[in-house]
Amino acid sequence: MKPDAPRSDVERVIETIEKLGYKPHELPGENRTAIGITGNPGAIDPAHFENMPGVADAIRVTKPYKLISKDLRPEKSIVKVGTAEIGGGELAIIAGPCAIENREQVFSVAKAVADSGAKFFRGGAFKPRTSPYAFQGMGEDGLKILADVRDEYDLSIVTEAMDERGVDLVEKYGDCIQIGARNMQNFSLLKYVGQTRKPVLLKRGLSATLDELLLAAEYIMAEGNYDVILCERGIRTFAAHARNTLDLSIVPAIHNVSHLPVIVDPSHGTGRNYMVNPMARAGVAVGADGLIIEVHSNPEQALCDGAQALTPVQYLALVQEVKAIHKALSPVVNNFESASVV
Ligand code: PEP
Ligand code: MN
């Protein structure tokens, strides 16, 4: 739509799309509103829209993904999560234990996370474990502890849902629904979270390509939920020195085609305590919009992912370092971006 198009023009275009039997997706931007169309079996004649009042242009998106694409929204998306946001230029730090184990454990980590200036707290109440005999998470009782953390520290809560019942519960207690690597292509779950109005943190599958990750995000957005944050968390390769291979090149690759924010998870990406800080620094250097970090007050006794957990002291050092890198790069990156537009 043209930057000065009144609301009535936007609504008329939306109505026209609906009358044709398609689905409109209104994506407001800084300067103009874009309206995406999905549900069309083939190409639509742009003449339907081109001469309508307020319409600036009708563009055919030929890529397999549409709503995630910069064709639809050239400027970056800023996703609101609870009382904070991701993608707006400030480095988002999401930290907390892998699993919610008990109130004392969670609150001791939450204090360190709040003290670090981070605005988001993570912790799983539903854990996707390789073995059915491993700790599966505290379920709803764990979510209640997370809700108390939010009340005490004003941290926005990011937590995983593994099925539809879990989504309903995370919606009730949390601020952001995490879809784990193992569920990245659980298409019915993606559609279900697409129908909620909570932001979704979508983690890259264990062997997912860039296009598969983007199309998984497209599933969520096609249902009308546009608040999606992507997460690189390492992929399976032949390399055995780390739990996974953190594929940082996907960060600029995503920014090249999509307006969605992308964060990096150096905890699952490496699986090794000593690698988390260096790879977090690298993630910020390649332009990630944020980090998700596992922290435990007593990693040797963690019920899940202890080998990659940072102690609160290690975590606080990481935050200082990544903030310094982010600050040092921000003016350069911004200048570079505006220079490349010119
Ligand atoms: C997690 O964040 O604790 C987790 C299980 O992550 P992933 O789905 O990336 O393995
Ligand atoms: Mn974990």
Side-chain angles (χ1 to χ4, degrees):
M1 303 298 294
K2 290 177 183 154
D4 58 353
R7 186 71 215 155
S8 53
D9 286 355
V10 174
E11 273 161 19
R12 203 163 312 120
V13 172
I14 289 176
E15 251 168 57
T16 306
I17 295 168
E18 282 168 347
K19 276 201 194 118
L20 288 163
Y22 310 138
K23 188 166 174 160
H25 301 267
E26 185 184 340
L27 294 185
E30 236 165 76
N31 302 314
R32 60 172 182 82
T33 288
I35 306 169
I37 305 176
T38 61
N40 47 308
I44 304 173
D45 185 352
H48 280 301
F49 306 101
E50 263 164 3
N51 297 320
M52 290 183 70
V55 171
D57 207 356
I59 305 161
R60 185 167 296 156
V61 180
T62 51
K63 299 191 184 87
Y65 35 76
K66 302 175 193 306
L67 303 175
I68 64 106
S69 139
K70 275 179 157 175
D71 292 346
L72 194 64
R73 190 186 152 87
E75 69 267 32
K76 282 187 68 174
S77 280
I78 299 173
V79 177
K80 247 188 117 359
V81 176
T83 52
E85 57 185 38
I86 301 180
E90 193 184 326
L91 184 70
I93 298 179
I94 306 168
C98 177
I100 302 304
E101 298 172 10
N102 57 64
R103 185 169 288 270
E104 294 66 47
Q105 166 239 10
V106 172
F107 270 79
S108 69
V109 175
K111 184 172 182 330
V113 173
D115 286 349
S116 76
K119 296 188 173 152
F120 309 87
F121 191 74
R122 64 147 289 146
F126 302 102
K127 295 306 304 174
R129 303 306 298 279
T130 303
S131 164
Y133 307 118
F135 176 60
Q136 303 284 307
M138 285 180 72
E140 188 168 2
D141 288 343
L143 295 177
K144 287 180 184 162
I145 298 176
L146 284 170
D148 291 345
V149 165
R150 179 189 32 229
D151 293 347
E152 176 83 21
Y153 292 109
D154 192 28
L155 291 164
S156 299
I157 303 297
V158 179
T159 190
E160 178 165 0
M162 300 201 305
D163 51 27
E164 296 184 0
R165 190 185 135 261
V167 171
D168 295 345
L169 287 168
V170 170
E171 252 199 299
K172 183 169 162 197
Y173 295 103
D175 299 301
C176 179
I177 307 165
Q178 177 175 324
I179 297 297
R182 290 154 193 83
N183 271 319
M184 190 205 83
Q185 284 190 314
N186 181 340
F187 299 117
S188 61
L189 188 61
L190 297 177
K191 286 183 186 171
Y192 195 78
V193 292
Q195 284 158 19
T196 71
R197 288 297 168 266
K198 279 270 153 85
V200 178
L201 175 64
L202 178 65
K203 299 190 88 175
R204 182 182 183 186
L206 274 65
S207 62
T209 63
L210 170 67
D211 276 8
E212 285 165 345
L213 173 62
L214 295 175
L215 284 167
E218 188 81 16
Y219 259 94
I220 298 167
M221 297 179 79
E223 295 295 324
N225 185 348
Y226 309 120
D227 292 328
V228 180
I229 304 133
L230 303 173
C231 178
E232 162 58 29
R233 49 79 71 207
I235 49 171
R236 287 253 164 112
T237 68
F238 54 81
H241 58 277
R243 178 180 177 186
N244 291 296
T245 297
L246 191 65
D247 175 22
L248 290 179
S249 69
I250 204 166
V251 175
I254 291 168
H255 282 152
N256 194 37
V257 291
S258 177
H259 53 85
L260 294 176
V262 50
I263 68 166
V264 164
D265 175 350
S267 302
H268 296 88
T270 65
R272 306 267 187 277
N273 174 290
Y274 78 94
M275 291 182 181
V276 172
N277 186 335
M279 295 311 281
R281 296 192 306 244
V284 173
V286 296
D289 297 290
L291 296 168
I292 181 165
I293 308 286
E294 288 191 345
V295 185
H296 198 287
S297 38
N298 197 349
E300 305 82 60
Q301 270 159 38
L303 296 181
C304 184
D305 287 350
Q308 67 201 33
L310 299 187
T311 63
V313 169
Q314 290 172 329
Y315 162 72
L316 291 169
L318 175 150
V319 172
Q320 295 309 312
E321 293 173 27
V322 296
K323 277 190 178 167
I325 291 171
H326 188 256
K327 188 163 168 231
L329 289 178
S330 290
V332 184
V333 172
N334 292 338
N335 284 342
F336 174 76
E337 276 174 4
S338 47
S340 63
V341 170
V342 176

